């Protein structure tokens, strides 16, 4: 069912206080929350999944990583598909795809079937995650766009905060399968609302050679092969060694394809900015540590400390709660003092929090042992996440802000993916370790200093490379953030408004750091259209 025509919208866009604006916000929040909930609640369900499906630790690692492989590898392509074929269309396809994959997860008879369904879920997530933000930016009036993005990110942060709690309640109640099945009714609500109330929009540009499907496939393949090699490295077989080599070859091929293509998914020249490269190195360090920590912490609380799934999910709430409450203030502070100090101090605080987790053992007190560690960790995350995003956006031309944010988001997810695969290996965690409290506690004790060391490396990189950005650079619109698995996505600020089903293909003047240039509508982000958004 097509959206009803709105003549006034062609010239002004949707206002946030209108019924149309509220429908768009509801749709995008529902869609993004589906993917966000799954990325935060599955860790809490892992012990129960392992017991019911008789799965070893490798299967639990793949339950997390199969989703992240396809999401990280395809998220940039998902955004491009929406720009070309219609953002609403690709968003709805992503919602339906995600729901079907969630249903397959919920009825999976064994671990291999669950892992395969999780990989399919990641494809759906790569379609709907960037689509939810681009729908907002293409639909709302420029004066309301920053507020709409802020509300979207804020409600998404609330979803991230309550996700582990809801997941724990479902696991202890109706069962772990409902962690996935819950997405089906959400999709049945979201898709019809999108088709009825959300206007369609497209990018009018003509791409030189179509989509970079080969680049996306090679990127995802490299991640999958390297992940497999790390998870199975303990077996020491020739197959594992061959897989590792093939993963490296696929990664080299990905770089080669991206360098040669006229219209690549990830233009390598964006890394010519030293600041952009440096901040992405910091991103790799901090989100590798976060990915490994949250994977193991949920298991530690249940396997070693005897928490229920609900108790473990509730115990982890302080980190996201602090991010929700303080991330906007952290961004304001970084704008005044520059990003270097927050990006140095933040990882060090996170490292201290992870070392404090060494006190969490068989008889751990939540108030005396668990909570202090999570409060310190949460304060560290608050300190670094908002400045990280702001510095990424400030390090590139305004017209490439959406691309830069997408690359940074994909890098964070890839870092978490590799950490979940490599950390159990580095900590000497056996395939059945999660079935034994003593064995898992010993491995956890070895893993936390490794996570802390990676964070210290990130702090050193930040201190030695990050510099204060120009005063007139692009500022983040997503001030409130609660996702612990990746930094917030930011889109093309000031995107042209849609008219008669697609975005107008008119030139936009873009002011970037004191210079003026002509940019086509696709991906342009005119700072003078909305200089103080977010």
């Amino acid at each position: 069912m097509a959206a009803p025509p709105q003549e006034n919208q062609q010239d002004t866009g949707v206002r946030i206080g209108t019924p149309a604006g509220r429908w768009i916000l509801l749709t995008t929040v529902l869609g993004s929350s589906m993917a966000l909930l799954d990325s935060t609640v599955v860790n809490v369900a892992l012990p129960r999944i392992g017991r019911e499906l008789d799965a070893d630790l490798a299967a639990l690692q793949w339950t997390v990583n199969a989703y992240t492989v396809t999401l990280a590898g395809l998220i940039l392509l998902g955004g491009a598909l929406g720009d070309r074929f219609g953002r609403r269309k690709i968003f709805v396809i992503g919602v339906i795809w995600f729901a079907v994959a969630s249903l397959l997860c919920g009825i999976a008879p064994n671990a291999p079937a669950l892992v395969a369904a999780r990989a399919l879920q990641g494809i759906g997530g790569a379609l709907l995650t960037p689509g939810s933000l681009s729908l907002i930016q293409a639909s709302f009036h420029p004066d309301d766009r920053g507020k709409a993005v802020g509300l979207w990110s804020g409600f998404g942060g609330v979803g991230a905060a309550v996700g582990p709690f809801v997941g724990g309640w479902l696991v202890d109640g109706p069962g772990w399968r409902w962690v996935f099945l819950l997405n089906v009714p959400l999709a049945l609500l979201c898709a019809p609302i999108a088709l009825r109330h959300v206007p369609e929009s497209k990018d009018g540009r003509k791409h030189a050679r179509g989509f970079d499907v080969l680049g996306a496939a090679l990127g995802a393949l490299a991640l999958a092969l390297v992940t497999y090699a790390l998870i199975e490295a303990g077996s020491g077989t020739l197959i594992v060694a061959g897989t590792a080599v093939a993963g490296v070859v696929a990664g080299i091929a990905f770089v080669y394809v991206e360098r040669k293509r006229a219209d690549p998914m990830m233009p390598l020249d964006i890394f010519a900015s030293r600041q952009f490269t440096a901040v992405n190195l910091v991103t790799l360090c901090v989100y590798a540590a976060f990915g490994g920590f949250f994977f193991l912490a949920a298991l530690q609380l249940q396997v070693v400390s005897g928490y229920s799934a609900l108790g473990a999910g509730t115990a982890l709430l302080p980190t996201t709660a602090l991010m929700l409450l303080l991330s906007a203030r952290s961004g304001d502070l970084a704008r005044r003092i520059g990003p270097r100090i927050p990006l140095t101090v933040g990882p060090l605080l996170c490292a201290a929090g992870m070392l404090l987790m060494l006190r969490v053992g068989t008889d751990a007190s939540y108030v005396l042992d668990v909570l202090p560690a999570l409060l310190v960790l949460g304060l560290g995350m608050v300190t670094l996440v908002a400045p990280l995003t702001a510095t990424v956006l400030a390090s590139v031309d305004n017209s490439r802000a959406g691309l830069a944010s997408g690359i940074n988001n994909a890098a964070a997810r890839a870092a978490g993916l590799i950490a979940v695969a490599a950390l159990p290996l580095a900590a000497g965690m056996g395939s059945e370790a999660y079935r034994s409290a003593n064995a898992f506690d010993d491995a956890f004790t070895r893993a936390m200093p490794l996570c802390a060391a990676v964070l210290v490396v990130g702090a050193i990189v930040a201190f030695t490379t990050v510099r204060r950005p120009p005063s007139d650079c692009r500022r983040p619109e997503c001030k409130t953030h609660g996702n612990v698995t990746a930094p917030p996505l930011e889109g093309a600020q000031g995107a042209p408004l849609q008219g008669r089903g697609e975005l107008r293909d008119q030139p936009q003047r873009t002011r970037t750091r004191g210079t003026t240039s002509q940019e086509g509508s696709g991906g342009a982000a005119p700072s003078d259209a909305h200089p103080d958004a977010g």
Side-chain angles (χ1 to χ4, degrees), residues 267-285:
L268 297 182
D269 63 339
I270 197 171
F271 292 97
S273 166
R274 293 182 180 180
Q275 186 93 318
F276 180 74
T277 302
V279 176
N280 276 282
L281 289 174
V282 176
T283 299
L284 290 173
C285 290

PDB file of all heavy atoms in Angstrom, residues 267-285:
ATOM      1  N   PRO A 267      35.536   3.509  -0.189  1.00  0.00           N
ATOM      2  CA  PRO A 267      36.632   4.188  -0.891  1.00  0.00           C
ATOM      3  C   PRO A 267      37.860   4.299   0.009  1.00  0.00           C
ATOM      4  O   PRO A 267      37.801   4.885   1.093  1.00  0.00           O
ATOM      5  CB  PRO A 267      36.049   5.573  -1.208  1.00  0.00           C
ATOM      6  CG  PRO A 267      34.573   5.424  -1.069  1.00  0.00           C
ATOM      7  CD  PRO A 267      34.347   4.362  -0.048  1.00  0.00           C
ATOM      8  N   LEU A 268      38.967   3.755  -0.447  1.00  0.00           N
ATOM      9  CA  LEU A 268      40.150   3.717   0.404  1.00  0.00           C
ATOM     10  C   LEU A 268      40.777   5.094   0.594  1.00  0.00           C
ATOM     11  O   LEU A 268      41.521   5.307   1.561  1.00  0.00           O
ATOM     12  CB  LEU A 268      41.180   2.744  -0.189  1.00  0.00           C
ATOM     13  CG  LEU A 268      40.735   1.280  -0.279  1.00  0.00           C
ATOM     14  CD1 LEU A 268      41.852   0.425  -0.835  1.00  0.00           C
ATOM     15  CD2 LEU A 268      40.298   0.755   1.086  1.00  0.00           C
ATOM     16  N   ASP A 269      40.459   6.035  -0.303  1.00  0.00           N
ATOM     17  CA  ASP A 269      41.064   7.346  -0.142  1.00  0.00           C
ATOM     18  C   ASP A 269      40.540   8.086   1.078  1.00  0.00           C
ATOM     19  O   ASP A 269      41.114   9.093   1.490  1.00  0.00           O
ATOM     20  CB  ASP A 269      40.857   8.189  -1.403  1.00  0.00           C
ATOM     21  CG  ASP A 269      39.386   8.471  -1.690  1.00  0.00           C
ATOM     22  OD1 ASP A 269      38.518   7.721  -1.183  1.00  0.00           O
ATOM     23  OD2 ASP A 269      39.107   9.428  -2.433  1.00  0.00           O
ATOM     24  N   ILE A 270      39.453   7.583   1.673  1.00  0.00           N
ATOM     25  CA  ILE A 270      38.954   8.223   2.889  1.00  0.00           C
ATOM     26  C   ILE A 270      39.955   8.076   4.037  1.00  0.00           C
ATOM     27  O   ILE A 270      39.994   8.886   4.964  1.00  0.00           O
ATOM     28  CB  ILE A 270      37.575   7.643   3.283  1.00  0.00           C
ATOM     29  CG1 ILE A 270      36.873   8.571   4.285  1.00  0.00           C
ATOM     30  CG2 ILE A 270      37.702   6.227   3.847  1.00  0.00           C
ATOM     31  CD1 ILE A 270      35.439   8.197   4.567  1.00  0.00           C
ATOM     32  N   PHE A 271      40.803   7.036   3.942  1.00  0.00           N
ATOM     33  CA  PHE A 271      41.821   6.819   4.975  1.00  0.00           C
ATOM     34  C   PHE A 271      43.040   7.718   4.776  1.00  0.00           C
ATOM     35  O   PHE A 271      44.004   7.627   5.546  1.00  0.00           O
ATOM     36  CB  PHE A 271      42.246   5.354   5.001  1.00  0.00           C
ATOM     37  CG  PHE A 271      41.151   4.435   5.483  1.00  0.00           C
ATOM     38  CD1 PHE A 271      40.348   3.763   4.573  1.00  0.00           C
ATOM     39  CD2 PHE A 271      40.919   4.265   6.833  1.00  0.00           C
ATOM     40  CE1 PHE A 271      39.334   2.916   5.013  1.00  0.00           C
ATOM     41  CE2 PHE A 271      39.908   3.429   7.276  1.00  0.00           C
ATOM     42  CZ  PHE A 271      39.107   2.755   6.357  1.00  0.00           C
ATOM     43  N   ALA A 272      43.006   8.571   3.745  1.00  0.00           N
ATOM     44  CA  ALA A 272      44.081   9.546   3.594  1.00  0.00           C
ATOM     45  C   ALA A 272      44.067  10.549   4.740  1.00  0.00           C
ATOM     46  O   ALA A 272      45.092  11.172   5.038  1.00  0.00           O
ATOM     47  CB  ALA A 272      43.947  10.275   2.255  1.00  0.00           C
ATOM     48  N   SER A 273      42.907  10.695   5.381  1.00  0.00           N
ATOM     49  CA  SER A 273      42.833  11.530   6.579  1.00  0.00           C
ATOM     50  C   SER A 273      43.484  10.788   7.745  1.00  0.00           C
ATOM     51  O   SER A 273      43.012   9.731   8.174  1.00  0.00           O
ATOM     52  CB  SER A 273      41.368  11.843   6.909  1.00  0.00           C
ATOM     53  OG  SER A 273      41.251  12.367   8.213  1.00  0.00           O
ATOM     54  N   ARG A 274      44.567  11.337   8.253  1.00  0.00           N
ATOM     55  CA  ARG A 274      45.257  10.682   9.375  1.00  0.00           C
ATOM     56  C   ARG A 274      44.366  10.599  10.604  1.00  0.00           C
ATOM     57  O   ARG A 274      44.402   9.616  11.345  1.00  0.00           O
ATOM     58  CB  ARG A 274      46.537  11.452   9.708  1.00  0.00           C
ATOM     59  CG  ARG A 274      47.603  11.390   8.619  1.00  0.00           C
ATOM     60  CD  ARG A 274      48.869  12.132   9.058  1.00  0.00           C
ATOM     61  NE  ARG A 274      49.890  12.092   8.031  1.00  0.00           N
ATOM     62  CZ  ARG A 274      51.086  12.657   8.148  1.00  0.00           C
ATOM     63  NH1 ARG A 274      51.394  13.323   9.268  1.00  0.00           N
ATOM     64  NH2 ARG A 274      51.966  12.580   7.168  1.00  0.00           N
ATOM     65  N   GLN A 275      43.568  11.637  10.810  1.00  0.00           N
ATOM     66  CA  GLN A 275      42.674  11.641  11.962  1.00  0.00           C
ATOM     67  C   GLN A 275      41.643  10.519  11.844  1.00  0.00           C
ATOM     68  O   GLN A 275      41.355   9.829  12.817  1.00  0.00           O
ATOM     69  CB  GLN A 275      41.964  12.997  12.067  1.00  0.00           C
ATOM     70  CG  GLN A 275      41.119  13.165  13.302  1.00  0.00           C
ATOM     71  CD  GLN A 275      41.872  13.814  14.446  1.00  0.00           C
ATOM     72  OE1 GLN A 275      43.035  13.489  14.688  1.00  0.00           O
ATOM     73  NE2 GLN A 275      41.231  14.721  15.139  1.00  0.00           N
ATOM     74  N   PHE A 276      41.076  10.350  10.656  1.00  0.00           N
ATOM     75  CA  PHE A 276      40.085   9.298  10.443  1.00  0.00           C
ATOM     76  C   PHE A 276      40.704   7.924  10.675  1.00  0.00           C
ATOM     77  O   PHE A 276      40.114   7.064  11.338  1.00  0.00           O
ATOM     78  CB  PHE A 276      39.525   9.404   9.027  1.00  0.00           C
ATOM     79  CG  PHE A 276      38.481   8.359   8.705  1.00  0.00           C
ATOM     80  CD1 PHE A 276      37.202   8.463   9.231  1.00  0.00           C
ATOM     81  CD2 PHE A 276      38.785   7.280   7.892  1.00  0.00           C
ATOM     82  CE1 PHE A 276      36.240   7.499   8.946  1.00  0.00           C
ATOM     83  CE2 PHE A 276      37.836   6.322   7.598  1.00  0.00           C
ATOM     84  CZ  PHE A 276      36.558   6.434   8.126  1.00  0.00           C
ATOM     85  N   THR A 277      41.889   7.705  10.141  1.00  0.00           N
ATOM     86  CA  THR A 277      42.573   6.421  10.330  1.00  0.00           C
ATOM     87  C   THR A 277      42.880   6.180  11.802  1.00  0.00           C
ATOM     88  O   THR A 277      42.675   5.079  12.329  1.00  0.00           O
ATOM     89  CB  THR A 277      43.868   6.394   9.507  1.00  0.00           C
ATOM     90  OG1 THR A 277      43.561   6.615   8.127  1.00  0.00           O
ATOM     91  CG2 THR A 277      44.576   5.052   9.649  1.00  0.00           C
ATOM     92  N   ALA A 278      43.364   7.210  12.483  1.00  0.00           N
ATOM     93  CA  ALA A 278      43.713   7.065  13.894  1.00  0.00           C
ATOM     94  C   ALA A 278      42.488   6.732  14.740  1.00  0.00           C
ATOM     95  O   ALA A 278      42.534   5.839  15.603  1.00  0.00           O
ATOM     96  CB  ALA A 278      44.368   8.353  14.398  1.00  0.00           C
ATOM     97  N   VAL A 279      41.383   7.428  14.499  1.00  0.00           N
ATOM     98  CA  VAL A 279      40.190   7.190  15.309  1.00  0.00           C
ATOM     99  C   VAL A 279      39.626   5.801  15.038  1.00  0.00           C
ATOM    100  O   VAL A 279      39.096   5.157  15.946  1.00  0.00           O
ATOM    101  CB  VAL A 279      39.137   8.287  15.040  1.00  0.00           C
ATOM    102  CG1 VAL A 279      37.859   8.004  15.805  1.00  0.00           C
ATOM    103  CG2 VAL A 279      39.683   9.628  15.446  1.00  0.00           C
ATOM    104  N   ASN A 280      39.759   5.323  13.824  1.00  0.00           N
ATOM    105  CA  ASN A 280      39.307   3.959  13.552  1.00  0.00           C
ATOM    106  C   ASN A 280      40.205   2.921  14.219  1.00  0.00           C
ATOM    107  O   ASN A 280      39.730   1.847  14.612  1.00  0.00           O
ATOM    108  CB  ASN A 280      39.222   3.715  12.046  1.00  0.00           C
ATOM    109  CG  ASN A 280      37.908   4.190  11.463  1.00  0.00           C
ATOM    110  OD1 ASN A 280      36.880   3.530  11.583  1.00  0.00           O
ATOM    111  ND2 ASN A 280      37.922   5.368  10.851  1.00  0.00           N
ATOM    112  N   LEU A 281      41.481   3.213  14.364  1.00  0.00           N
ATOM    113  CA  LEU A 281      42.349   2.323  15.137  1.00  0.00           C
ATOM    114  C   LEU A 281      41.922   2.292  16.602  1.00  0.00           C
ATOM    115  O   LEU A 281      41.896   1.225  17.235  1.00  0.00           O
ATOM    116  CB  LEU A 281      43.804   2.768  15.013  1.00  0.00           C
ATOM    117  CG  LEU A 281      44.474   2.551  13.654  1.00  0.00           C
ATOM    118  CD1 LEU A 281      45.871   3.166  13.645  1.00  0.00           C
ATOM    119  CD2 LEU A 281      44.561   1.058  13.330  1.00  0.00           C
ATOM    120  N   VAL A 282      41.582   3.449  17.146  1.00  0.00           N
ATOM    121  CA  VAL A 282      41.057   3.491  18.514  1.00  0.00           C
ATOM    122  C   VAL A 282      39.758   2.693  18.603  1.00  0.00           C
ATOM    123  O   VAL A 282      39.532   1.942  19.562  1.00  0.00           O
ATOM    124  CB  VAL A 282      40.840   4.952  18.959  1.00  0.00           C
ATOM    125  CG1 VAL A 282      40.213   4.998  20.348  1.00  0.00           C
ATOM    126  CG2 VAL A 282      42.148   5.728  18.947  1.00  0.00           C
ATOM    127  N   THR A 283      38.907   2.849  17.608  1.00  0.00           N
ATOM    128  CA  THR A 283      37.639   2.099  17.568  1.00  0.00           C
ATOM    129  C   THR A 283      37.879   0.605  17.595  1.00  0.00           C
ATOM    130  O   THR A 283      37.206  -0.139  18.324  1.00  0.00           O
ATOM    131  CB  THR A 283      36.849   2.484  16.304  1.00  0.00           C
ATOM    132  OG1 THR A 283      36.548   3.876  16.337  1.00  0.00           O
ATOM    133  CG2 THR A 283      35.557   1.690  16.215  1.00  0.00           C
ATOM    134  N   LEU A 284      38.813   0.137  16.788  1.00  0.00           N
ATOM    135  CA  LEU A 284      39.123  -1.296  16.759  1.00  0.00           C
ATOM    136  C   LEU A 284      39.551  -1.787  18.138  1.00  0.00           C
ATOM    137  O   LEU A 284      39.126  -2.858  18.588  1.00  0.00           O
ATOM    138  CB  LEU A 284      40.221  -1.574  15.732  1.00  0.00           C
ATOM    139  CG  LEU A 284      39.839  -1.416  14.260  1.00  0.00           C
ATOM    140  CD1 LEU A 284      41.079  -1.550  13.376  1.00  0.00           C
ATOM    141  CD2 LEU A 284      38.795  -2.456  13.854  1.00  0.00           C
ATOM    142  N   CYS A 285      40.363  -1.013  18.823  1.00  0.00           N
ATOM    143  CA  CYS A 285      40.851  -1.435  20.143  1.00  0.00           C
ATOM    144  C   CYS A 285      39.717  -1.478  21.171  1.00  0.00           C
ATOM    145  O   CYS A 285      39.534  -2.479  21.874  1.00  0.00           O
ATOM    146  CB  CYS A 285      41.955  -0.490  20.618  1.00  0.00           C
ATOM    147  SG  CYS A 285      43.505  -0.613  19.699  1.00  0.00           S
TER     148      CYS A 285
END
